[in-house]
Amino acid sequence: MRNIDAKGHVTGQSLYVDDLPTWEGTLYGVVFYATVAHATLQQLDTSRARALPGVIDILTAKDIPGENQIGGILPDEELFASNEVHFQGQPIGLIVATSEAIAKKARQLISVDYQEKEVITDPRDAQTKGRLIFPPRTFSMGNTKQAWAACAYTVQGRADVNGQEHLYIETQGAYAYPMENGHIKISSSTQGPTAVQRTTARVLGVPMHTIEVDVVRLGGGFGGKEDQATPWAVMAALAAQKWSAPVKLILHRMDDMRMTGKRHPYSADYKLGLSSDLKMIAYEVVFYQNAGAAADLSPAVMERTLFHATNAYYIPNVVATAYSCKTNLPPNTAFRGFGGPQGMFVIEAAIAHAAHTLQVPKEKIQEANLLVKGNSFPYGQKITDNGLKTAWQQMQEKFALEDVKKSIVAYNQTHSTTKKGYALMPICFGISFTKTPMNQARALVHIYSDGSVGISTGAVEMGQGVNTKMIQVAAHVFDLPAHYIKLETTNTTRVANTSPTAASATADLNGKALEKACKTLLTRLKTCAANHLQTQPQNISLKQGQVWIKDKATAMDWSQLIEHAFLDRICLTENGHYATPVIHYNKTQEKGHPFAYHVMGLALTEVTVDCLRGTYHFDAVKIVHDFGKSMNMHVDRGQIEGGLVQGMGWMTLEELRYDPEGKLLSNSLSTYKVPDVYSAPEHIYIMSLPTQSTEMALLKSKAVGEPPLMYGIGAYFAIEHAISAFNPSYVPIQNAPFTHEKVLLSLYETGV
Ligand code: MTE
Ligand code: LUZ
Ligand code: MOS
């Protein structure tokens, strides 16, 4: 089935928050934020701004009727700073005016006196000073202390990996309109409609049922709107409540970049021990997560770093510890992979270090240690198949890995100013929210009396194609053409208490709830048909809009059946509820079975480095991916290509920079480079890994949203491989991203 949004997107008809028709009397909000990273607020003078014609109000902490608190996991973040600011870009107030232009002008007329305090931007620095968001956690297995003695080789070092700007095309925004009796409806560009509803209710001091959140779709979220879409919606609602007027708040790109958190930068210390036959025996790692100034989702992100600290490898003795370090940067947040990519980068860096020291190809160590069926992760769950081994074989057979390697060697022998390199990147990503209670969803199905079907779920469409998949589920169960099915907007009034659209689990969770609702309706309809056709329900089936008895079509079609059902007063509405079975986790022991299943795969990245300029060009990325049994190959391939290129951007061009005072320097698209079509790989080949799949996946179609991002990590090590071919004294620098500047320096670095 074609993506249902394809036409709307290319014709420009798809609706985003700022496209919604504007209500008469709409007011506009612009956020006034801190320009220093750590200070007490001495005096806030808004009088000049208030005097500007068209300015209605300037809301600050004092105007909050409920709690001035937006923290999701920990209550440590104010909506508007009351006494102290903790990062540059922290909201202090909201200017409400009759136009956005006036509100922006007013913003320049506000003055604040800050009494500045020490600014910390480095996570190690924060850890040393005891500035942690919450206590550290450790995952362990086996006994590393004993294992070191058995190791033939050990390497020890440090790896750093930078953050990443989400750069969703639609910036953060919301539009709040007052309804009757103090109720407020909010259109929000959020991955978490329920989070917006809950937090708005808390800040406004009203029950959740007075707040209705509606989401049409997002122009991208990538995790950046899992938690951080909330404050803007709350601010708009706050102004709407106070002024009984519709209020729109859409962030300008540069304000969005400055105020919102990003992927967490991490620094890590590792020690890796190997046997003489290159088996990884022991791994100790300490992660310093740069959380920024408040918890946001950092505790959960940090947890996933620990879950994925050994990536796709079996290491019998592991100690992995992580610190969530409080710095004066905007609170960092969810980003595709959710801490997993950072954990995986560090183990890959450690393997690269070992390979360099032992002078063996990196992939020899990788291949020798792939997880096989029955192997345990440090958190106790076991891997249930040999997908990684199969992926490696497929890479040899289908993508002629050995020939690629030979041709790269040959190329490098005959070229002196350009060098080619390659890297393999296996992935193994756990599917489920690591917080077990979040793995639940609901769906509401109405069959209208004319036979058309309306479905609502808690899933938010953000470009990943989940709406298309939801329609496929209903069309599949009823065996109807897709045009019978309409997908409603995501709305907290139709589907309540939703988990955010995140963790790649949206199609699984909401799709399974939907499947259940549709199946219940189908059973009801079969009974109805059996009554009218004087047979038993088990003889009835629905095929392509027609009612069948055993293997013969009857004269009754879908719309006649629905008409009968309606006249028989059969309920044509159903709610489905799904909670992932099997999963559990014990945080005290740090053991359990947190994931419904794992998604595996392997990527081969090929790069050419220009050794005069330090620039590079990706010739190809060849991927063997575990789709399970894909329910929509077009959508899933789109996710792989997009995820891959986004991951490559993180590893190569995208350089997030703050100055020592916590000011974002890479605050625009001219200073922050994301991959464009020219820097994407020339070829992306994707092959499907033949696996049994799992009943835990929707129609056996495995989750695909996040895992492919981590194939992008191969880009870093492919570049490193090419540099080594040019500069024999190159020592791995283990500091991502590998920008052109760093590549140039590495090409001519003489080593130590
Ligand atoms: N694809 C597009 N086009 N836009 C997005 O914002 N977000 C990613 C991924 N793919 C995203 C995307 C992230 S971070 C997640 S968690 C998943 O989609 C969420 O959707 P799913 O659970 O339906 O896979
Ligand atoms: N969000 C979350 C996530 O709250 N928990 C998770 O485990 C998760 N994993 C990936 C992406 N978002
Ligand atoms: Mo994705 S980081 O789970 O929104």
Side-chain angles (χ1 to χ4, degrees):
M1 184 180 159
R2 196 193 309 177
N3 188 322
I4 57 161
D5 281 336
K7 195 176 166 199
H9 285 359
V10 295
T11 57
Q13 286 172 329
S14 299
L15 294 178
Y16 301 87
V17 173
D18 209 9
D19 299 323
L20 296 175
T22 310
W23 293 47
E24 186 73 39
T26 290
L27 301 176
Y28 295 84
V30 165
V31 182
F32 172 70
Y33 55 80
T35 50
V36 300
H38 196 193
T40 46
L41 289 173
Q42 298 295 76
Q43 210 193 348
L44 183 65
D45 182 2
T46 58
S47 54
R48 285 209 303 148
R50 282 179 190 278
L52 196 70
V55 172
I56 305 289
D57 200 357
I58 296 171
L59 299 171
T60 62
K62 292 194 290 289
D63 298 289
I64 293 174
E67 278 179 73
N68 183 14
Q69 184 49 250
I70 60 166
I73 297 181
L74 299 175
D76 69 346
E77 191 178 356
E78 293 180 327
L79 178 72
F80 293 128
S82 53
N83 297 313
E84 270 203 25
V85 294
H86 300 275
F87 63 93
Q88 285 205 32
Q90 182 172 354
I92 296 172
L94 182 77
I95 302 140
V96 184
T98 51
S99 80
E100 196 179 47
I102 293 172
K104 277 190 178 151
K105 209 166 171 186
R107 177 159 74 173
Q108 293 168 335
L109 301 176
I110 298 177
S111 66
V112 200
D113 281 344
Y114 296 107
Q115 187 173 354
E116 298 199 34
K117 301 172 92 168
E118 184 195 25
V119 173
I120 296 177
T121 59
D122 179 72
R124 288 176 187 260
D125 202 8
Q127 194 264 349
T128 309
K129 291 176 174 148
R131 298 215 335 188
L132 298 180
I133 298 280
F134 59 97
R137 286 173 69 179
T138 297
F139 283 22
S140 62
M141 177 164 73
N143 185 330
T144 48
K145 294 252 164 6
Q146 278 171 17
W148 295 124
C151 294
Y153 319 104
T154 59
V155 291
Q156 204 166 343
R158 167 177 168 159
D160 288 89
V161 55
N162 207 343
Q164 184 175 22
E165 164 62 45
H166 299 87
L167 220 91
Y168 24 68
I169 295 178
E170 180 196 24
T171 56
Q172 304 272 8
Y175 190 12
Y177 6 89
M179 309 299 284
E180 293 180 317
N181 305 322
H183 300 174
I184 295 175
K185 183 169 173 179
I186 306 171
S187 283
S188 165
S189 179
T190 180
Q191 293 174 235
T194 294
V196 169
Q197 182 193 23
R198 194 191 306 112
T199 309
T200 303
R202 189 208 272 187
V203 175
L204 270 53
V206 298
M208 278 172 78
H209 72 217
T210 62
I211 307 294
E212 173 185 351
V213 180
D214 191 86
V215 184
V216 180
R217 69 160 60 67
L218 276 53
F222 306 111
K225 296 170 182 170
E226 182 173 337
D227 225 36
Q228 298 204 1
T230 299
W232 329 111
V234 177
M235 289 174 199
L238 191 65
Q241 183 193 42
K242 182 166 173 189
W243 291 96
S244 299
V247 178
K248 198 185 233 195
L249 199 180
I250 309 281
L251 296 190
H252 183 275
R253 174 68 63 189
M254 283 163 100
D255 285 345
D256 184 310
M257 290 176 92
R258 188 147 334 267
M259 287 193 275
T260 63
K262 316 191 185 303
R263 184 189 292 289
H264 295 75
Y266 273 65
S267 186
D269 296 317
Y270 61 81
K271 186 175 172 190
L272 179 65
L274 296 95
S275 68
S276 52
D277 58 353
L278 302 182
K279 288 277 186 196
M280 295 193 274
I281 299 176
Y283 182 49
E284 284 181 2
V285 59
V286 180
F287 295 103
Y288 300 91
Q289 178 199 52
N290 192 335
D296 192 89
L297 291 164
S298 297
V301 170
M302 188 188 93
E303 179 173 72
R304 205 175 258 282
T305 302
L306 292 172
F307 280 120
H308 296 304
T310 52
N311 187 16
Y313 310 108
Y314 177 63
I315 311 178
N317 303 287
V318 176
V319 180
T321 298
Y323 294 94
S324 183
C325 309
K326 188 169 176 164
T327 59
N328 298 109
L329 298 181
N332 288 314
T333 193
F335 197 139
R336 208 173 194 168
F338 205 72
Q342 293 93 324
M344 293 187 192
F345 176 77
V346 176
I347 182 79
E348 294 300 328
I351 295 171
H353 184 175
H356 182 262
T357 308
L358 304 176
Q359 289 297 301
V360 297
K362 177 172 182 258
E363 71 274 13
K364 267 192 95 160
I365 302 178
Q366 293 174 306
E367 191 185 0
N369 293 278
L370 293 174
L371 286 158
V372 296
K373 189 174 174 173
N375 281 164
S376 218
F377 290 96
Y379 51 90
Q381 187 164 346
K382 289 187 166 64
I383 193 97
T384 53
D385 65 63
N386 286 320
L388 289 157
K389 287 272 179 204
T390 314
W392 207 279
Q393 281 158 13
Q394 296 273 310
M395 189 60 80
Q396 305 274 14
E397 286 167 24
K398 301 279 166 46
F399 289 127
L401 174 59
E402 291 311 314
D403 295 346
V404 171
K405 285 161 56 171
K406 276 188 208 134
S407 72
I408 287 177
V409 171
Y411 180 96
N412 287 345
Q413 276 166 356
T414 51
H415 294 74
S416 55
T417 58
T418 59
K419 295 288 180 190
K420 284 190 187 290
Y422 69 91
L424 284 139
M425 182 64 202
I427 61 153
C428 182
F429 194 77
I431 302 302
S432 288
F433 286 95
T434 57
K435 189 173 170 196
T436 303
M438 290 176 80
N439 296 284
Q440 55 169 311
R442 279 150 299 277
L444 180 66
V445 181
H446 297 313
I447 304 176
Y448 294 99
S449 56
D450 68 350
S452 62
V453 180
I455 57 180
S456 302
T457 76
V460 170
E461 176 62 53
M462 47 186 183
Q464 86 279 37
V466 70
N467 283 0
T468 303
K469 288 186 174 180
M470 293 305 103
I471 288 179
Q472 280 184 271
V473 170
H476 170 79
V477 177
F478 296 134
D479 206 340
L480 285 175
H483 66 80
Y484 275 75
I485 324 282
K486 178 201 176 194
L487 196 90
E488 304 290 349
T489 58
T490 316
N491 184 297
T492 53
T493 300
R494 281 188 293 275
V495 179
N497 306 322
T498 58
S499 287
T501 285
S504 307
T506 317
D508 281 0
L509 295 172
N510 293 275
K512 287 210 173 235
L514 177 60
E515 191 183 16
K516 279 171 92 171
C518 292
K519 281 185 170 168
T520 305
L521 283 166
L522 182 65
T523 305
R524 233 176 257 163
L525 290 172
K526 281 182 178 174
T527 307
C528 171
N531 287 340
H532 285 269
L533 296 166
Q534 278 143 22
T535 179
Q536 298 302 310
Q538 62 268 27
N539 297 331
I540 299 282
S541 60
L542 270 81
K543 289 181 201 163
Q544 316 220 313
Q546 208 66 30
V547 180
W548 289 54
I549 298 180
K550 295 195 171 155
D551 49 9
K552 263 181 73 185
T554 69
M556 189 189 289
D557 67 10
W558 169 263
S559 19
Q560 288 164 332
L561 171 60
I562 299 306
E563 202 180 324
H564 284 307
F566 178 71
L567 295 174
D568 291 352
R569 296 185 289 173
I570 290 168
C571 176
L572 291 172
T573 287
E574 188 60 30
N575 180 55
H577 170 83
Y578 177 73
T580 313
V582 185
I583 54 172
H584 57 88
Y585 194 69
N586 182 326
K587 256 183 158 178
T588 317
Q589 295 166 356
E590 300 288 19
K591 299 280 180 216
H593 189 109
F595 299 120
Y597 57 89
H598 288 85
V599 171
M600 289 166 258
L602 181 64
L604 169 62
T605 307
E606 300 168 35
V607 70
T608 306
V609 171
D610 179 330
C611 301
L612 297 179
R613 295 173 183 83
T615 55
Y616 39 73
H617 168 87
F618 291 96
D619 303 306
V621 179
K622 297 164 183 168
I623 295 170
V624 182
H625 183 79
D626 174 16
F627 292 89
K629 189 171 159 286
S630 174
M631 66 186 286
N632 194 321
M633 217 16 137
H634 297 299
V635 166
D636 289 355
R637 290 178 74 97
Q639 284 294 289
I640 295 180
E641 291 175 2
L644 167 73
V645 174
Q646 194 167 38
M648 293 176 78
W650 173 49
M651 283 287 118
T652 58
L653 305 178
E654 297 180 39
E655 193 178 26
L656 186 63
R657 274 242 205 146
Y658 292 93
D659 75 7
E661 295 309 310
K663 180 177 182 176
L664 181 69
L665 300 175
S666 50
N667 71 331
S668 70
L669 294 189
S670 58
T671 50
Y672 186 82
K673 298 298 277 184
V674 291
D676 56 18
V677 72
Y678 301 105
S679 41
E682 199 162 315
H683 300 285
I684 300 175
Y685 301 103
I686 301 167
M687 289 250 331
S688 148
L689 182 68
T691 58
Q692 299 257 293
S693 194
T694 165
E695 291 297 336
M696 302 282 265
L698 176 64
L699 304 175
K700 292 197 166 191
S701 182
K702 284 190 166 186
V704 70
E706 294 167 286
L709 181 130
M710 286 151 272
Y711 292 136
I713 296 172
Y716 184 93
F717 297 98
I719 292 172
E720 186 162 272
H721 186 235
I723 293 172
S724 308
F726 180 82
N727 177 6
S729 43
Y730 168 75
V731 179
I733 56 167
Q734 328 256 36
N735 189 342
F738 232 142
T739 56
H740 294 163
E741 183 182 357
K742 274 193 212 158
V743 171
L744 190 63
L745 291 171
S746 301
L747 286 164
Y748 299 96
E749 195 70 58
T750 50
V752 272

